[in-house]
Amino acid sequence: MPRPGPPGKDPQPPRPPGERAVNVLWSFGKCLATLLPVYLAGYFGFSILLVLFGLLVYMGWKHSRLEKVMRLKSAMYLLENERQFTMGNVMRTKRDLPPWVNFPDVEKVEWLNKILQQAWPFVGQYLEKMLLETVAPAIRASSVHLQTLSFTKVNLGDKALKVVGVKAHTEHDKRQVLLDLYVSYAGDVEINVEIKKYFCKAGVKGIQLHGKLRVILEPLIGDVPLVGAITMFFIRKPKLDINWTGLTNLLDIPGLNAMSDTMIMDVIASHLVLPNRLTIPLVADLHVAQLRSPLPRGVVRIHLLEAEDLTTKDTVIKGFIDGKSDPYAVLRVGTQTFTSRHVDSNLNPQWREMYEVIVHEVPGQELEVELFDKDPDQDDFLGRYFLHSLINFSHMCWFSLKDVPSGSVHLRLEWLSLLPSAARLSEVIERNYNLTSKTSDPPSAAILAVYLDQAHALPLKKGNKDPSPMVQISIQDTTKESRTCYGTSDPVWEDAFTFFIPDPRKQDIDIQVKDDDRALSLGSLTIPLARLLESPGLVLDQWFSLENSGSASRIYIKTILRVLQSTRLPATRNVYNFSGCEFVDQSQQTGASEPRPAHPLCSQGVLRIHLAEAQNLIAKDNFMGGMVKGKSDPYVKMKVAGITYRSHTIKENLNPVWNELYEVILTQLPGQDIQFELFDKDIDQDDFLGRISEPGAVAGQVKLTIAYSSEENRLYITVHSCRALAACSKDGADPYVSLLLLPDKKGASKRKTATKKRDLNPEFNERFDFDFSLEESTQRRLDLSVKNNVSFMSRERELIGKFLLDLDQVDLKAGVTQW
């Protein structure tokens, strides 16, 4: 008779004797399975360390699996309860909140998520059909070892993909619609694969994917379906987490899991992360290659200058003695990654390295800078910084590193516009040769886009078999390969490639058409870039006859060359220099027919310091108590307004020759002296060799913020402060700032600040607004004067400094949120 259960609970029915016996046998079997490796190790004479190592790997795998399951469940809960989570955690950091909370211009699209949820079962049916009828046969045909592969289960689950925010960009190009979709997927997808020949089962059970997907609808056409094609890509690599099953469980072993995730992300990046795009044409006769790889918006030249106050990572005697770090930097823009050299034992390293980055999308692309300490085992993290938009102006700044107690990195970003004319090519090449860089590659003077379309009547292989052609495109030491078109003599590639060109006058495009084994040549072609320089618009778009090929073999290629022109546009918030003279646009005076250059303030606002050599320095390295005279290992420190530049060290030389060039953007100078200090590099403390100062780098400056409101049709100008003004009397000056928007409309465009008594560095922080439309930016100019408000009524107000600013040279559309 069964015993009654505890009071207040339903009595539990007794378990059958057979079920209790099965449970006991199962527990006993698990104990035997646990002890079996120990017995086998002793039986075969293996070391017990092998068993311990296997146990350690198992525990790591188990821990990794549990973490993945918990992350997947947490992500599912968050997506299902987004509103409750957001409203109940208003004090959370901004990065934990969805995009529609952080950014006012990101909209919620619950209607779209409802459509996705309703259509998700049918998406699953389509995926199952594609895997069974298309993917599986292709895999079985690719290898004899995979002829028994089959998908035993394809279930997309009940959790649909969610779009947690949408941002629309319609202000950049009227012929396209650009959408940023913030997608999150935490799904219970289950896909199982079996290879019967090897009794192998594997699969996936649960996936997380989070990222920003950009969707471009272009070109807009005047016929159904109104859109010519849909292009999709991720701005940067999305976050991916996969829960494996079966044999692929091994990928969750610590050490292998990071490798497997990286390999999968690389595959995704090769198809769906900038500069790679997925283009789906909706109408016929579209240039798919140009939609898939459009001409870049521009190029950013990143100068990695230096860092300071980095965290100490190399400690001695278990941390009792602080050492230094061996820092290096990793820079990423999309799939483009650059790694600097490492500097030994220095918390204030100087790299002076330059990298060129292609900018495909504006806005959207980001620059990520990460600093690490070089170590023999695992490199230590020293901080990171995200520059969230590579917009089209040049600037130089110190950026504070995140996620570390201290540290900052000094970067100079130079925007290079793409010019469709060769008129300025010689000027650009000459300027690049005058610049020095510690990188092996010289600065580029141009960029080349090659659109590989198709070929016709390629020669057959032996036995009259159709070839499987691919193309190798080379320029000097850079070679890029197209995809392979299998079994055809009339291939259609529709691929695109981009090259940096140091000197187009001396380089050629070498094109080799080969079979997929790279051994059989199907034809070749050489196109001198000098031919492109003579063509209209620097474009060649035509059929080319192939050499060393069939008599009718030809290939269709479109090549576009663009000259890289540095444009130093002032940012919306900047510091302008003046010295009592009026700056004007020189192109208007000379009557030049070429495009107007950047504002003269910017073109003249760069100080170039050419560090040439030194002579007759003092010998500081002495030996045997000074009885034997040595030499010195000199280097130079240049201090310009608190910014320090350092030359390289020349070993054992009292007459060193550096021949280094440094560029300082004058908009960053607060009007201080330039100081040069020489030191002898030593192991302990560097010896002082001398100092020289050059006074009066800049006579005066004014700091402004300029922004435009399209809704109100108003221009807002904030006068923040002035620095290093000229003294108009022995007591200094009584300065004020006068603003005049030219041409003046009956005195309605004149403003002035309050007067600051006896102050050569006045702080104003006054804001003014003007009636203004964006169409007027090419006709109107800002006349800014800094004057001395003298107390005697009989005297005129004295001019301290003045300049004219063309408003079409300022990024008025960007807007400024801080005043």
Side-chain angles (χ1 to χ4, degrees), residues 1 16 79 133 144 169 194 324 343 346 361 369 475 490 507 540 583 691 722 741 755:
M1 186 174 183
L79 289 179
E133 298 181 3
V144 295
H169 303 272
E194 182 179 4
K324 294 187 178 181
V343 180
N346 200 325
E361 289 293 319
V369 182
I475 298 179
D490 299 313
Q507 295 175 275
L540 284 177
F583 293 100
R691 177 186 296 115
C722 293
L741 203 58
T755 301

Side-chain angles (χ1 to χ4, degrees), residues 213-260:
L213 181 70
R214 174 157 291 183
V215 178
I216 302 178
L217 310 177
E218 69 169 345
L220 300 180
I221 56 179
D223 201 353
V224 177
L226 301 181
V227 177
I230 300 176
T231 301
M232 295 179 290
F233 55 87
F234 286 99
I235 294 288
R236 56 183 177 273
K237 288 185 179 181
K239 297 179 180 178
L240 178 69
D241 201 356
I242 299 177
N243 190 20
W244 302 102
T245 61
L247 185 63
T248 46
N249 268 325
L250 297 176
L251 296 178
D252 281 331
I253 294 177
L256 289 179
N257 53 357
M259 187 185 304
S260 63

Side-chain angles (χ1 to χ4, degrees), residues 14-25:
R15 293 184 178 181
E19 182 178 343
R20 291 200 301 268
V22 169
N23 290 336
V24 171
L25 290 175

